[in-house]
Amino acid sequence: MSYFESRLLANFDDFNDITEKLEFCEKLGIKNVILEPKSNQLTISSKIKEKIRKQTKINTYYRINLRLNNPEDFKKKIRFFNNFSDILSVESLNREVQLRAARDTRVDILSFSDPEIIKTLTPGVISLTKQNKSFVEFSLAPIMVRNKAIQSKNFRNLYRFLQLALKLKANCIISGNFDDLYDFRHPRALISICYSLLEIPMTKTKEIFNLNPILLLEKTQKRHDDNFEHEIRLIKGGD
């Protein structure tokens, strides 16, 4: 079975940072990663994608994340993504932005990875993402912090809102979303955390780390690549 790290942050202005993180992933045995620039850039050049492809054996895919403050921000930025072939995610504390993003078919993921943003997740947003076959994202990074009081608070919020999403049958993605190399974990380890600590059934957890990323990639890429279905079948055959 082929598991994914669905959010690997890297500095796209420093190719050494990208290669260092991918090499570390290779050592951990991670086969599939979705890379995201740390900066607020709106595109990833085909030149750097090709350079990355030649550098690693890992299956690499790409996402852009928009951190938006208000509906005006959303309206201004979203127009750049009418013919976008990579994954587009949105993060915002503003509930109106969340609702607009959930209704917009150009948005593939509403991310609730941030410890503050997760507290704003509502059933209404989940319902809209289901209608548009988009995904709600959570991250395990906040429960890896060293401060025990903050860690405990983050864990309670993650548990509460993840259980809400599962109860409402949201399309969920869970990423590591780690920045420090020594926090990186193979998705199998993250699956164990989800099963043992977050009380997600094992079959559902494996679906979140395997099937849902494939469905996400299929959703965002098949309209631009007639051969994508073949590529998906190849991925499924890996580990």
Side-chain angles (χ1 to χ4, degrees), residues 109-172:
I109 298 174
L110 262 72
S111 181
F112 293 87
S113 300
D114 184 275
E116 292 304 311
I117 294 177
I118 195 173
K119 294 183 288 187
T120 65
L121 179 60
T122 63
V125 166
I126 291 172
S127 177
L128 287 171
T129 59
K130 287 171 63 179
Q131 289 177 38
N132 282 325
K133 297 183 180 179
S134 53
F135 292 79
V136 174
E137 178 183 50
F138 300 95
S139 168
L140 296 180
I143 66 172
M144 300 292 193
V145 296
R146 274 55 176 179
N147 184 298
K148 296 301 181 184
I150 295 174
Q151 183 187 64
S152 179
K153 178 183 176 183
N154 290 346
F155 177 82
R156 289 194 302 271
N157 285 327
L158 177 60
Y159 182 89
R160 174 187 171 189
F161 288 100
L162 186 49
Q163 291 296 328
L164 171 67
L166 293 174
K167 180 181 178 182
L168 298 177
K169 302 187 186 313
N171 303 315
C172 288

